Amino acid sequence: MSKQKKVIISAAITGAIHTPSLSPYFPATPEQIARQAIDAANAGAAVVHIHARQHDGMPVGDFDTFRQILTAIKQACNAVIGITTGGANGMSTEERFSVIEEFQPEMASANCGSMNFCYHKLAKSIGTPKYEWEIPYVTRTYDNVFKNTFQDMEYCIRTMNRCGTLPEYEVFDYGQLANLRYFQKEGIITQPIYIQFVPGVMGGFPMDNEGMMFMLDQAKKMLGDDIQYSTVAGGRRMFRYSTMMALQGGNVRVGMEDGLYIKPNGELAVDNAAQVRKIKGILEALDYEIASPDEAREMLSLKGGDQVNF
């Protein structure tokens, strides 16, 4: 088990999968995203993971919207701000990666391979949509490939190295660990390895205890025992899988990007902060100490919030 004494809580605020019609509490505008990120940080999240959305809730990657959100968060709290390079379905790889050089964040997601990334079944839960874009947006993922070629991945890693941004490697399937091992062997990975496992996506590895333990075991064997890690846990199983990862020496992630619920009976979370408070309470009941933002920076060898471009 890791010697890590404190657990980093990350909150993934909005993502690019859920749509505004799925929950009245969902942060769907730039102002709502920033406000919920700040509240999540105040509730105990050391890291907030940010996607951008325009005022009708559609995910976007434009610099003005991102800057509005990032600046508001930075001015109001000390949280580590991580930025997506996953973007949203329909975005080009150039659009997805451009935010790194523009904003030079402390950390950012780095996707570890191409895959079928499908969530078309969400259309059944939307009912009568608030916005016309919602149903087509989710249904088109049935014919979607999330493109991350070796060239794309190398460009992403080298860009982050140059900008002093820690890659948060998002691993959706077993073969993607081998992709990471390739870049490690080639010397392209120069920063500490931090993995965010992403089980349960239609097109990736299933979400179950046995599969998660296998992935963690293989990651250590391929990449070294000194890696750090966390896991996304989508839907209603967020808290049990987050807790499982802490028990295995890792960090935890919650947030309305991953799941809209506070209880498995379908009760909706009223905001991201509610999910942070719940996982913080679980961890503290298990005698874990929670890392502050500055402690998270030290644990992850981050450059500091004064070195970003926003």
PDB file of all heavy atoms in Angstrom, residues 110-143:
ATOM      1  N   ALA A 110      -4.759  13.986 -19.981  1.00  0.00           N
ATOM      2  CA  ALA A 110      -4.044  13.505 -21.164  1.00  0.00           C
ATOM      3  C   ALA A 110      -4.590  12.123 -21.480  1.00  0.00           C
ATOM      4  O   ALA A 110      -4.382  11.174 -20.710  1.00  0.00           O
ATOM      5  CB  ALA A 110      -2.541  13.453 -20.900  1.00  0.00           C
ATOM      6  N   ASN A 111      -5.316  12.008 -22.567  1.00  0.00           N
ATOM      7  CA  ASN A 111      -6.001  10.763 -22.889  1.00  0.00           C
ATOM      8  C   ASN A 111      -5.029   9.771 -23.516  1.00  0.00           C
ATOM      9  O   ASN A 111      -4.187  10.137 -24.329  1.00  0.00           O
ATOM     10  CB  ASN A 111      -7.177  11.054 -23.812  1.00  0.00           C
ATOM     11  CG  ASN A 111      -8.170  11.990 -23.153  1.00  0.00           C
ATOM     12  OD1 ASN A 111      -8.987  11.560 -22.350  1.00  0.00           O
ATOM     13  ND2 ASN A 111      -8.097  13.270 -23.466  1.00  0.00           N
ATOM     14  N   CYS A 112      -5.170   8.505 -23.152  1.00  0.00           N
ATOM     15  CA  CYS A 112      -4.123   7.513 -23.433  1.00  0.00           C
ATOM     16  C   CYS A 112      -4.415   6.584 -24.593  1.00  0.00           C
ATOM     17  O   CYS A 112      -3.819   5.514 -24.695  1.00  0.00           O
ATOM     18  CB  CYS A 112      -3.852   6.707 -22.169  1.00  0.00           C
ATOM     19  SG  CYS A 112      -3.132   7.719 -20.856  1.00  0.00           S
ATOM     20  N   GLY A 113      -5.310   6.965 -25.485  1.00  0.00           N
ATOM     21  CA  GLY A 113      -5.550   6.154 -26.669  1.00  0.00           C
ATOM     22  C   GLY A 113      -6.889   6.439 -27.297  1.00  0.00           C
ATOM     23  O   GLY A 113      -7.794   6.981 -26.658  1.00  0.00           O
ATOM     24  N   SER A 114      -7.005   6.064 -28.564  1.00  0.00           N
ATOM     25  CA  SER A 114      -8.281   6.202 -29.264  1.00  0.00           C
ATOM     26  C   SER A 114      -9.247   5.115 -28.803  1.00  0.00           C
ATOM     27  O   SER A 114      -8.840   4.024 -28.408  1.00  0.00           O
ATOM     28  CB  SER A 114      -8.069   6.091 -30.777  1.00  0.00           C
ATOM     29  OG  SER A 114      -7.197   7.086 -31.241  1.00  0.00           O
ATOM     30  N   MET A 115     -10.538   5.426 -28.855  1.00  0.00           N
ATOM     31  CA  MET A 115     -11.540   4.451 -28.419  1.00  0.00           C
ATOM     32  C   MET A 115     -12.917   4.842 -28.921  1.00  0.00           C
ATOM     33  O   MET A 115     -13.161   5.996 -29.295  1.00  0.00           O
ATOM     34  CB  MET A 115     -11.576   4.380 -26.887  1.00  0.00           C
ATOM     35  CG  MET A 115     -11.987   5.684 -26.232  1.00  0.00           C
ATOM     36  SD  MET A 115     -12.138   5.608 -24.439  1.00  0.00           S
ATOM     37  CE  MET A 115     -13.505   4.467 -24.244  1.00  0.00           C
ATOM     38  N   ASN A 116     -13.816   3.867 -28.948  1.00  0.00           N
ATOM     39  CA  ASN A 116     -15.233   4.156 -29.139  1.00  0.00           C
ATOM     40  C   ASN A 116     -15.764   4.702 -27.821  1.00  0.00           C
ATOM     41  O   ASN A 116     -15.741   4.012 -26.806  1.00  0.00           O
ATOM     42  CB  ASN A 116     -16.010   2.892 -29.514  1.00  0.00           C
ATOM     43  CG  ASN A 116     -15.604   2.349 -30.860  1.00  0.00           C
ATOM     44  OD1 ASN A 116     -15.258   3.101 -31.769  1.00  0.00           O
ATOM     45  ND2 ASN A 116     -15.627   1.034 -31.007  1.00  0.00           N
ATOM     46  N   PHE A 117     -16.196   5.950 -27.838  1.00  0.00           N
ATOM     47  CA  PHE A 117     -16.653   6.617 -26.608  1.00  0.00           C
ATOM     48  C   PHE A 117     -18.130   6.935 -26.805  1.00  0.00           C
ATOM     49  O   PHE A 117     -18.487   7.923 -27.435  1.00  0.00           O
ATOM     50  CB  PHE A 117     -15.842   7.892 -26.382  1.00  0.00           C
ATOM     51  CG  PHE A 117     -15.939   8.454 -24.979  1.00  0.00           C
ATOM     52  CD1 PHE A 117     -14.796   8.666 -24.234  1.00  0.00           C
ATOM     53  CD2 PHE A 117     -17.163   8.779 -24.421  1.00  0.00           C
ATOM     54  CE1 PHE A 117     -14.869   9.190 -22.948  1.00  0.00           C
ATOM     55  CE2 PHE A 117     -17.256   9.298 -23.148  1.00  0.00           C
ATOM     56  CZ  PHE A 117     -16.100   9.504 -22.410  1.00  0.00           C
ATOM     57  N   CYS A 118     -18.981   6.078 -26.250  1.00  0.00           N
ATOM     58  CA  CYS A 118     -20.410   6.152 -26.566  1.00  0.00           C
ATOM     59  C   CYS A 118     -21.252   6.381 -25.314  1.00  0.00           C
ATOM     60  O   CYS A 118     -21.057   5.727 -24.292  1.00  0.00           O
ATOM     61  CB  CYS A 118     -20.834   4.846 -27.243  1.00  0.00           C
ATOM     62  SG  CYS A 118     -22.552   4.837 -27.787  1.00  0.00           S
ATOM     63  N   TYR A 119     -22.184   7.330 -25.423  1.00  0.00           N
ATOM     64  CA  TYR A 119     -23.158   7.532 -24.342  1.00  0.00           C
ATOM     65  C   TYR A 119     -24.526   7.905 -24.922  1.00  0.00           C
ATOM     66  O   TYR A 119     -25.254   8.723 -24.379  1.00  0.00           O
ATOM     67  CB  TYR A 119     -22.673   8.581 -23.334  1.00  0.00           C
ATOM     68  CG  TYR A 119     -22.065   9.847 -23.909  1.00  0.00           C
ATOM     69  CD1 TYR A 119     -22.833  10.986 -24.126  1.00  0.00           C
ATOM     70  CD2 TYR A 119     -20.712   9.913 -24.212  1.00  0.00           C
ATOM     71  CE1 TYR A 119     -22.277  12.146 -24.628  1.00  0.00           C
ATOM     72  CE2 TYR A 119     -20.142  11.073 -24.714  1.00  0.00           C
ATOM     73  CZ  TYR A 119     -20.922  12.184 -24.913  1.00  0.00           C
ATOM     74  OH  TYR A 119     -20.366  13.336 -25.417  1.00  0.00           O
ATOM     75  N   HIS A 120     -24.857   7.241 -26.038  1.00  0.00           N
ATOM     76  CA  HIS A 120     -26.117   7.557 -26.732  1.00  0.00           C
ATOM     77  C   HIS A 120     -27.346   7.234 -25.900  1.00  0.00           C
ATOM     78  O   HIS A 120     -28.411   7.834 -26.090  1.00  0.00           O
ATOM     79  CB  HIS A 120     -26.181   6.800 -28.065  1.00  0.00           C
ATOM     80  CG  HIS A 120     -26.435   5.323 -27.923  1.00  0.00           C
ATOM     81  ND1 HIS A 120     -25.510   4.460 -27.356  1.00  0.00           N
ATOM     82  CD2 HIS A 120     -27.524   4.572 -28.261  1.00  0.00           C
ATOM     83  CE1 HIS A 120     -26.012   3.238 -27.371  1.00  0.00           C
ATOM     84  NE2 HIS A 120     -27.223   3.279 -27.903  1.00  0.00           N
ATOM     85  N   LYS A 121     -27.210   6.304 -24.945  1.00  0.00           N
ATOM     86  CA  LYS A 121     -28.368   5.905 -24.140  1.00  0.00           C
ATOM     87  C   LYS A 121     -28.870   7.019 -23.224  1.00  0.00           C
ATOM     88  O   LYS A 121     -29.990   6.944 -22.717  1.00  0.00           O
ATOM     89  CB  LYS A 121     -28.031   4.664 -23.315  1.00  0.00           C
ATOM     90  CG  LYS A 121     -27.891   3.400 -24.158  1.00  0.00           C
ATOM     91  CD  LYS A 121     -27.681   2.182 -23.280  1.00  0.00           C
ATOM     92  CE  LYS A 121     -27.623   0.904 -24.106  1.00  0.00           C
ATOM     93  NZ  LYS A 121     -27.435  -0.295 -23.252  1.00  0.00           N
ATOM     94  N   LEU A 122     -28.059   8.042 -23.004  1.00  0.00           N
ATOM     95  CA  LEU A 122     -28.518   9.169 -22.184  1.00  0.00           C
ATOM     96  C   LEU A 122     -29.748   9.849 -22.783  1.00  0.00           C
ATOM     97  O   LEU A 122     -30.510  10.493 -22.066  1.00  0.00           O
ATOM     98  CB  LEU A 122     -27.403  10.204 -22.035  1.00  0.00           C
ATOM     99  CG  LEU A 122     -26.328   9.954 -20.971  1.00  0.00           C
ATOM    100  CD1 LEU A 122     -25.335  11.112 -20.961  1.00  0.00           C
ATOM    101  CD2 LEU A 122     -26.949   9.788 -19.593  1.00  0.00           C
ATOM    102  N   ALA A 123     -29.926   9.702 -24.083  1.00  0.00           N
ATOM    103  CA  ALA A 123     -31.072  10.345 -24.736  1.00  0.00           C
ATOM    104  C   ALA A 123     -32.393   9.899 -24.111  1.00  0.00           C
ATOM    105  O   ALA A 123     -33.348  10.688 -24.033  1.00  0.00           O
ATOM    106  CB  ALA A 123     -31.068  10.038 -26.227  1.00  0.00           C
ATOM    107  N   LYS A 124     -32.443   8.654 -23.635  1.00  0.00           N
ATOM    108  CA  LYS A 124     -33.674   8.141 -23.025  1.00  0.00           C
ATOM    109  C   LYS A 124     -33.991   8.844 -21.707  1.00  0.00           C
ATOM    110  O   LYS A 124     -35.151   8.868 -21.274  1.00  0.00           O
ATOM    111  CB  LYS A 124     -33.548   6.640 -22.795  1.00  0.00           C
ATOM    112  CG  LYS A 124     -33.403   5.830 -24.071  1.00  0.00           C
ATOM    113  CD  LYS A 124     -33.247   4.344 -23.759  1.00  0.00           C
ATOM    114  CE  LYS A 124     -33.094   3.526 -25.031  1.00  0.00           C
ATOM    115  NZ  LYS A 124     -32.902   2.075 -24.730  1.00  0.00           N
ATOM    116  N   SER A 125     -32.957   9.378 -21.056  1.00  0.00           N
ATOM    117  CA  SER A 125     -33.156  10.036 -19.764  1.00  0.00           C
ATOM    118  C   SER A 125     -33.435  11.525 -19.890  1.00  0.00           C
ATOM    119  O   SER A 125     -33.844  12.160 -18.914  1.00  0.00           O
ATOM    120  CB  SER A 125     -31.909   9.836 -18.889  1.00  0.00           C
ATOM    121  OG  SER A 125     -31.651   8.467 -18.687  1.00  0.00           O
ATOM    122  N   ILE A 126     -33.209  12.078 -21.069  1.00  0.00           N
ATOM    123  CA  ILE A 126     -33.373  13.516 -21.241  1.00  0.00           C
ATOM    124  C   ILE A 126     -34.839  13.919 -21.292  1.00  0.00           C
ATOM    125  O   ILE A 126     -35.226  14.982 -20.795  1.00  0.00           O
ATOM    126  CB  ILE A 126     -32.623  13.997 -22.510  1.00  0.00           C
ATOM    127  CG1 ILE A 126     -31.120  13.888 -22.282  1.00  0.00           C
ATOM    128  CG2 ILE A 126     -33.006  15.424 -22.871  1.00  0.00           C
ATOM    129  CD1 ILE A 126     -30.273  14.203 -23.500  1.00  0.00           C
ATOM    130  N   GLY A 127     -35.700  13.056 -21.856  1.00  0.00           N
ATOM    131  CA  GLY A 127     -37.121  13.398 -21.953  1.00  0.00           C
ATOM    132  C   GLY A 127     -37.328  14.558 -22.902  1.00  0.00           C
ATOM    133  O   GLY A 127     -36.901  14.535 -24.045  1.00  0.00           O
ATOM    134  N   THR A 128     -37.975  15.609 -22.421  1.00  0.00           N
ATOM    135  CA  THR A 128     -38.160  16.815 -23.221  1.00  0.00           C
ATOM    136  C   THR A 128     -36.977  17.744 -22.962  1.00  0.00           C
ATOM    137  O   THR A 128     -36.835  18.297 -21.870  1.00  0.00           O
ATOM    138  CB  THR A 128     -39.465  17.535 -22.850  1.00  0.00           C
ATOM    139  OG1 THR A 128     -40.565  16.635 -23.028  1.00  0.00           O
ATOM    140  CG2 THR A 128     -39.667  18.766 -23.726  1.00  0.00           C
ATOM    141  N   PRO A 129     -36.109  17.920 -23.953  1.00  0.00           N
ATOM    142  CA  PRO A 129     -34.895  18.698 -23.713  1.00  0.00           C
ATOM    143  C   PRO A 129     -35.161  20.192 -23.607  1.00  0.00           C
ATOM    144  O   PRO A 129     -36.053  20.729 -24.262  1.00  0.00           O
ATOM    145  CB  PRO A 129     -34.027  18.379 -24.937  1.00  0.00           C
ATOM    146  CG  PRO A 129     -35.009  18.043 -26.008  1.00  0.00           C
ATOM    147  CD  PRO A 129     -36.156  17.373 -25.318  1.00  0.00           C
ATOM    148  N   LYS A 130     -34.353  20.856 -22.790  1.00  0.00           N
ATOM    149  CA  LYS A 130     -34.418  22.318 -22.688  1.00  0.00           C
ATOM    150  C   LYS A 130     -33.858  22.980 -23.947  1.00  0.00           C
ATOM    151  O   LYS A 130     -34.289  24.067 -24.323  1.00  0.00           O
ATOM    152  CB  LYS A 130     -33.619  22.787 -21.476  1.00  0.00           C
ATOM    153  CG  LYS A 130     -34.205  22.420 -20.143  1.00  0.00           C
ATOM    154  CD  LYS A 130     -33.272  22.834 -18.997  1.00  0.00           C
ATOM    155  CE  LYS A 130     -33.095  24.348 -18.936  1.00  0.00           C
ATOM    156  NZ  LYS A 130     -32.266  24.746 -17.756  1.00  0.00           N
ATOM    157  N   TYR A 131     -32.890  22.297 -24.584  1.00  0.00           N
ATOM    158  CA  TYR A 131     -32.212  22.880 -25.738  1.00  0.00           C
ATOM    159  C   TYR A 131     -32.184  21.872 -26.891  1.00  0.00           C
ATOM    160  O   TYR A 131     -32.051  20.664 -26.667  1.00  0.00           O
ATOM    161  CB  TYR A 131     -30.774  23.283 -25.376  1.00  0.00           C
ATOM    162  CG  TYR A 131     -30.700  24.262 -24.236  1.00  0.00           C
ATOM    163  CD1 TYR A 131     -30.333  23.845 -22.950  1.00  0.00           C
ATOM    164  CD2 TYR A 131     -30.992  25.607 -24.433  1.00  0.00           C
ATOM    165  CE1 TYR A 131     -30.262  24.755 -21.902  1.00  0.00           C
ATOM    166  CE2 TYR A 131     -30.941  26.518 -23.375  1.00  0.00           C
ATOM    167  CZ  TYR A 131     -30.565  26.083 -22.118  1.00  0.00           C
ATOM    168  OH  TYR A 131     -30.515  26.981 -21.083  1.00  0.00           O
ATOM    169  N   GLU A 132     -32.266  22.380 -28.109  1.00  0.00           N
ATOM    170  CA  GLU A 132     -32.329  21.516 -29.286  1.00  0.00           C
ATOM    171  C   GLU A 132     -31.067  20.698 -29.488  1.00  0.00           C
ATOM    172  O   GLU A 132     -31.100  19.625 -30.091  1.00  0.00           O
ATOM    173  CB  GLU A 132     -32.614  22.353 -30.537  1.00  0.00           C
ATOM    174  CG  GLU A 132     -34.005  22.967 -30.574  1.00  0.00           C
ATOM    175  CD  GLU A 132     -34.259  23.725 -31.868  1.00  0.00           C
ATOM    176  OE1 GLU A 132     -33.330  23.777 -32.713  1.00  0.00           O
ATOM    177  OE2 GLU A 132     -35.375  24.244 -32.036  1.00  0.00           O
ATOM    178  N   TRP A 133     -29.928  21.175 -29.008  1.00  0.00           N
ATOM    179  CA  TRP A 133     -28.668  20.484 -29.276  1.00  0.00           C
ATOM    180  C   TRP A 133     -28.503  19.200 -28.486  1.00  0.00           C
ATOM    181  O   TRP A 133     -27.695  18.332 -28.862  1.00  0.00           O
ATOM    182  CB  TRP A 133     -27.473  21.407 -28.976  1.00  0.00           C
ATOM    183  CG  TRP A 133     -27.299  21.798 -27.534  1.00  0.00           C
ATOM    184  CD1 TRP A 133     -27.790  22.905 -26.909  1.00  0.00           C
ATOM    185  CD2 TRP A 133     -26.582  21.070 -26.520  1.00  0.00           C
ATOM    186  NE1 TRP A 133     -27.426  22.938 -25.581  1.00  0.00           N
ATOM    187  CE2 TRP A 133     -26.679  21.824 -25.317  1.00  0.00           C
ATOM    188  CE3 TRP A 133     -25.855  19.878 -26.516  1.00  0.00           C
ATOM    189  CZ2 TRP A 133     -26.092  21.401 -24.128  1.00  0.00           C
ATOM    190  CZ3 TRP A 133     -25.266  19.457 -25.332  1.00  0.00           C
ATOM    191  CH2 TRP A 133     -25.392  20.219 -24.165  1.00  0.00           C
ATOM    192  N   GLU A 134     -29.248  19.007 -27.409  1.00  0.00           N
ATOM    193  CA  GLU A 134     -28.955  17.941 -26.461  1.00  0.00           C
ATOM    194  C   GLU A 134     -29.119  16.528 -27.039  1.00  0.00           C
ATOM    195  O   GLU A 134     -28.214  15.695 -26.926  1.00  0.00           O
ATOM    196  CB  GLU A 134     -29.824  18.097 -25.208  1.00  0.00           C
ATOM    197  CG  GLU A 134     -29.525  19.363 -24.406  1.00  0.00           C
ATOM    198  CD  GLU A 134     -30.361  19.464 -23.143  1.00  0.00           C
ATOM    199  OE1 GLU A 134     -30.160  18.632 -22.233  1.00  0.00           O
ATOM    200  OE2 GLU A 134     -31.233  20.359 -23.062  1.00  0.00           O
ATOM    201  N   ILE A 135     -30.262  16.222 -27.630  1.00  0.00           N
ATOM    202  CA  ILE A 135     -30.508  14.868 -28.148  1.00  0.00           C
ATOM    203  C   ILE A 135     -29.523  14.510 -29.258  1.00  0.00           C
ATOM    204  O   ILE A 135     -28.879  13.441 -29.198  1.00  0.00           O
ATOM    205  CB  ILE A 135     -31.964  14.708 -28.626  1.00  0.00           C
ATOM    206  CG1 ILE A 135     -32.948  14.907 -27.458  1.00  0.00           C
ATOM    207  CG2 ILE A 135     -32.161  13.331 -29.271  1.00  0.00           C
ATOM    208  CD1 ILE A 135     -32.884  13.840 -26.400  1.00  0.00           C
ATOM    209  N   PRO A 136     -29.343  15.353 -30.288  1.00  0.00           N
ATOM    210  CA  PRO A 136     -28.354  15.003 -31.317  1.00  0.00           C
ATOM    211  C   PRO A 136     -26.945  14.858 -30.766  1.00  0.00           C
ATOM    212  O   PRO A 136     -26.164  14.026 -31.241  1.00  0.00           O
ATOM    213  CB  PRO A 136     -28.440  16.177 -32.299  1.00  0.00           C
ATOM    214  CG  PRO A 136     -29.798  16.764 -32.086  1.00  0.00           C
ATOM    215  CD  PRO A 136     -30.085  16.575 -30.628  1.00  0.00           C
ATOM    216  N   TYR A 137     -26.617  15.659 -29.782  1.00  0.00           N
ATOM    217  CA  TYR A 137     -25.269  15.639 -29.196  1.00  0.00           C
ATOM    218  C   TYR A 137     -24.944  14.280 -28.588  1.00  0.00           C
ATOM    219  O   TYR A 137     -23.832  13.760 -28.768  1.00  0.00           O
ATOM    220  CB  TYR A 137     -25.167  16.742 -28.141  1.00  0.00           C
ATOM    221  CG  TYR A 137     -23.841  16.812 -27.428  1.00  0.00           C
ATOM    222  CD1 TYR A 137     -22.755  17.467 -28.003  1.00  0.00           C
ATOM    223  CD2 TYR A 137     -23.675  16.246 -26.163  1.00  0.00           C
ATOM    224  CE1 TYR A 137     -21.533  17.541 -27.338  1.00  0.00           C
ATOM    225  CE2 TYR A 137     -22.467  16.322 -25.495  1.00  0.00           C
ATOM    226  CZ  TYR A 137     -21.395  16.972 -26.096  1.00  0.00           C
ATOM    227  OH  TYR A 137     -20.190  17.036 -25.439  1.00  0.00           O
ATOM    228  N   VAL A 138     -25.881  13.691 -27.854  1.00  0.00           N
ATOM    229  CA  VAL A 138     -25.587  12.405 -27.219  1.00  0.00           C
ATOM    230  C   VAL A 138     -25.791  11.232 -28.171  1.00  0.00           C
ATOM    231  O   VAL A 138     -25.038  10.251 -28.124  1.00  0.00           O
ATOM    232  CB  VAL A 138     -26.399  12.205 -25.918  1.00  0.00           C
ATOM    233  CG1 VAL A 138     -26.063  13.289 -24.907  1.00  0.00           C
ATOM    234  CG2 VAL A 138     -27.894  12.171 -26.174  1.00  0.00           C
ATOM    235  N   THR A 139     -26.780  11.303 -29.056  1.00  0.00           N
ATOM    236  CA  THR A 139     -27.050  10.163 -29.930  1.00  0.00           C
ATOM    237  C   THR A 139     -25.957   9.965 -30.978  1.00  0.00           C
ATOM    238  O   THR A 139     -25.700   8.834 -31.398  1.00  0.00           O
ATOM    239  CB  THR A 139     -28.412  10.301 -30.626  1.00  0.00           C
ATOM    240  OG1 THR A 139     -28.472  11.551 -31.335  1.00  0.00           O
ATOM    241  CG2 THR A 139     -29.543  10.252 -29.612  1.00  0.00           C
ATOM    242  N   ARG A 140     -25.281  11.013 -31.387  1.00  0.00           N
ATOM    243  CA  ARG A 140     -24.249  10.854 -32.416  1.00  0.00           C
ATOM    244  C   ARG A 140     -23.020  10.107 -31.909  1.00  0.00           C
ATOM    245  O   ARG A 140     -22.177   9.671 -32.685  1.00  0.00           O
ATOM    246  CB  ARG A 140     -23.844  12.212 -32.980  1.00  0.00           C
ATOM    247  CG  ARG A 140     -22.983  13.078 -32.082  1.00  0.00           C
ATOM    248  CD  ARG A 140     -22.786  14.449 -32.699  1.00  0.00           C
ATOM    249  NE  ARG A 140     -21.876  15.288 -31.907  1.00  0.00           N
ATOM    250  CZ  ARG A 140     -21.898  16.607 -31.901  1.00  0.00           C
ATOM    251  NH1 ARG A 140     -22.797  17.251 -32.649  1.00  0.00           N
ATOM    252  NH2 ARG A 140     -21.031  17.293 -31.187  1.00  0.00           N
ATOM    253  N   THR A 141     -22.924   9.910 -30.596  1.00  0.00           N
ATOM    254  CA  THR A 141     -21.765   9.193 -30.069  1.00  0.00           C
ATOM    255  C   THR A 141     -21.820   7.703 -30.399  1.00  0.00           C
ATOM    256  O   THR A 141     -20.808   7.004 -30.228  1.00  0.00           O
ATOM    257  CB  THR A 141     -21.629   9.370 -28.550  1.00  0.00           C
ATOM    258  OG1 THR A 141     -22.764   8.803 -27.880  1.00  0.00           O
ATOM    259  CG2 THR A 141     -21.499  10.846 -28.194  1.00  0.00           C
ATOM    260  N   TYR A 142     -22.960   7.196 -30.888  1.00  0.00           N
ATOM    261  CA  TYR A 142     -23.042   5.797 -31.307  1.00  0.00           C
ATOM    262  C   TYR A 142     -22.145   5.543 -32.519  1.00  0.00           C
ATOM    263  O   TYR A 142     -21.751   4.410 -32.788  1.00  0.00           O
ATOM    264  CB  TYR A 142     -24.501   5.440 -31.633  1.00  0.00           C
ATOM    265  CG  TYR A 142     -24.777   3.961 -31.678  1.00  0.00           C
ATOM    266  CD1 TYR A 142     -24.686   3.185 -30.520  1.00  0.00           C
ATOM    267  CD2 TYR A 142     -25.141   3.338 -32.869  1.00  0.00           C
ATOM    268  CE1 TYR A 142     -24.951   1.827 -30.560  1.00  0.00           C
ATOM    269  CE2 TYR A 142     -25.401   1.974 -32.911  1.00  0.00           C
ATOM    270  CZ  TYR A 142     -25.302   1.220 -31.749  1.00  0.00           C
ATOM    271  OH  TYR A 142     -25.554  -0.135 -31.790  1.00  0.00           O
ATOM    272  N   ASP A 143     -21.802   6.618 -33.230  1.00  0.00           N
ATOM    273  CA  ASP A 143     -20.918   6.525 -34.398  1.00  0.00           C
ATOM    274  C   ASP A 143     -19.693   7.421 -34.192  1.00  0.00           C
ATOM    275  O   ASP A 143     -19.253   8.122 -35.087  1.00  0.00           O
ATOM    276  CB  ASP A 143     -21.687   6.942 -35.667  1.00  0.00           C
ATOM    277  CG  ASP A 143     -20.901   6.692 -36.941  1.00  0.00           C
ATOM    278  OD1 ASP A 143     -20.111   5.721 -36.974  1.00  0.00           O
ATOM    279  OD2 ASP A 143     -21.048   7.472 -37.902  1.00  0.00           O
TER     280      ASP A 143
END
